[in-house]
């Protein structure tokens, strides 16, 4: 299985800035066969970047899309419109769950619509700080994982990527906490156990599980060597080209 390094640019970069970044990234980056590099620009930048990128080196992800293909849904963009333009779409990011009010039911429809349109959903799940403090992590992970996958048939499980992103570890500042490899390991084991119990061991093993939450070049190696982790979802550090390249280099070293 490939190691995935996914840069989530969130609401950052104008189209021009995104284009310059991608140009520099493509220039700096050799083609590592075992490392799949993906960037998720703002919706506005997706189309121009798709004309600019070399898909052998870098693939594009959307940060969100709507589950209906067309219709009276003002402001939305559909997976069918993104079909052939992006290879991946982040679905159920905690910022969409908690800032924009998405629930597991909507997220499940988005996962289904992505697969139907040949786009790999990156299903994000993770507990909040208070859920962890109250011992609810396992329940939250189970609910979000099985809830998000509720419209995925057994044959389609291999078309999904899962990202474990504890909400308390996202965008951490110097004073706040980041996740330890042991904490990640425990939850990733749980994710794999739930997938195995629900879909069978073989299918469960085919699902890439990524980790995200304040990933930096300095901790990427430790996170990538957690058993069962197949890649990283990188927010803040992916906005700094040199840091993102360093994380890709770490992934390459870990793989070789
Ligand atoms: P962060 O964001 O790396 O800035 O913590 C990760 C994410 O939200 O996907």
């Amino acid at each position: 299985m490939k190691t995935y390094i996914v840069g989530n640019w969130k609401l950052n970069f104008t189209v021009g800035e995104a284009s310059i970044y991608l140009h520099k990234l493509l220039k700096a980056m050799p083609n590592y066969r075992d490392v799949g590099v993906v960037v998720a620009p703002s919706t506005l930048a997706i189309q121009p970047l798709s004309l600019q990128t070399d898909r052998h080196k870098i693939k594009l992800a959307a940060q969100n899309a709507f589950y209906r293909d067309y219709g009276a849904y003002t402001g939305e963009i559909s997976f069918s419109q993104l079909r052939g333009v992006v290879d991946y779409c982040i679905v159920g990011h905690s910022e969409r769950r908690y800032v924009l009010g998405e629930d597991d039911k909507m997220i499940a429809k988005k996962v289904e619509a992505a697969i139907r349109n040949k786009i790999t959903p990156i299903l994000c799940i993770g507990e909040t700080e208070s859920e962890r403090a109250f011992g609810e992590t396992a329940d939250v992970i189970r609910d979000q994982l099985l809830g998000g996958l509720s419209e995925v048939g057994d044959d389609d499980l291999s078309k999904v990527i899962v990202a474990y992103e504890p909400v308390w570890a996202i965008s951490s500042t110097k004073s706040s906490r980041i996740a330890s490899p042991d904490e990640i390991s425990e939850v990733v084991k749980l994710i794999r156990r739930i997938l195995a119990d629900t879909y069978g061991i073989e299918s469960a093993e085919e699902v890439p599980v990524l980790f995200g939450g304040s990933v930096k070049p300095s901790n990427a190696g430790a996170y990538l060597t957690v058993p069962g982790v197949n890649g990283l979802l990188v927010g803040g550090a992916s906005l700094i080209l040199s840091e993102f390249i360093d994380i890709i280099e770490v992934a390459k070293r870990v793989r070789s």
Side-chain angles (χ1 to χ4, degrees), residues 6-255:
V6 183
N8 175 11
W9 292 352
K10 307 191 182 184
L11 209 176
N12 293 289
F13 293 158
T14 62
V15 175
E17 287 164 347
S19 172
I20 291 168
Y21 181 113
L22 185 65
H23 175 75
K24 289 184 180 164
L25 179 59
L26 283 164
K27 228 168 125 187
M29 226 191 70
N31 189 0
Y32 303 139
R33 210 193 288 145
D34 294 333
V35 181
V37 179
V38 181
V39 293
S42 76
T43 306
L44 194 63
I46 287 174
Q47 175 74 16
L49 295 200
S50 77
L51 302 174
Q52 183 188 337
T53 195
D54 171 352
R55 273 174 138 169
H56 294 296
K57 280 189 174 182
I58 296 165
K59 295 203 172 12
L60 293 178
Q63 297 177 16
N64 174 48
F66 193 56
Y67 56 87
R68 297 270 192 231
D69 287 349
Y70 56 87
Y73 304 104
T74 301
E76 293 294 342
I77 173 171
S78 67
F79 287 96
S80 60
Q81 290 172 319
L82 288 168
R83 186 178 183 141
V85 185
V86 298
D87 290 282
Y88 301 89
C89 183
I90 298 169
V91 179
H93 191 280
S94 61
E95 286 147 18
R96 296 211 61 88
R97 290 178 190 266
Y98 301 114
V99 184
L100 293 143
E102 290 192 11
D103 58 12
D104 286 326
K105 237 175 155 174
M106 175 178 278
I107 290 162
K109 287 181 183 165
K110 293 187 174 194
V111 169
E112 184 278 327
I115 294 172
R116 179 161 40 79
N117 285 291
K118 311 229 174 305
I119 293 168
T120 303
I122 302 173
L123 171 63
C124 298
I125 59 175
E127 80 286 0
T128 62
E129 190 166 19
S130 69
E131 286 163 346
R132 176 164 278 261
F134 282 107
E136 295 165 0
T137 301
D139 288 341
V140 171
I141 293 296
R142 176 178 299 277
D143 289 350
Q144 291 186 354
L145 182 61
L146 295 182
L149 294 175
S150 61
E151 302 206 19
V152 177
D154 290 9
D155 292 347
D156 284 337
L157 185 69
S158 61
K159 297 173 186 161
V160 176
I161 293 176
V162 173
Y164 171 50
E165 294 209 308
V167 181
W168 48 270
I170 293 176
S171 307
S172 291
T173 54
K174 278 206 177 94
S175 56
S176 54
R177 204 158 83 75
I178 62 165
S180 72
D182 284 348
E183 286 168 324
I184 299 166
S185 172
E186 203 179 311
V187 177
V188 169
K189 261 192 224 149
L190 173 69
I191 291 170
R192 295 214 173 270
R193 196 161 58 239
I194 296 167
L195 290 175
D197 289 348
T198 314
Y199 294 91
I201 291 177
E202 274 176 30
S203 302
E205 276 173 1
E206 283 176 26
V207 178
V209 177
L210 316 186
F211 170 73
S214 304
V215 172
K216 303 272 177 288
S218 55
N219 58 25
Y223 289 159
L224 282 172
T225 42
V226 172
V229 168
N230 307 108
L232 302 169
L233 183 49
V234 188
S238 75
L239 298 175
I240 302 158
L241 181 65
S242 60
E243 294 204 3
F244 194 56
I245 290 172
D246 284 350
I247 292 169
I248 297 165
E249 294 283 357
V250 171
K252 190 193 150 208
R253 271 204 301 281
V254 169
R255 283 300 298 239

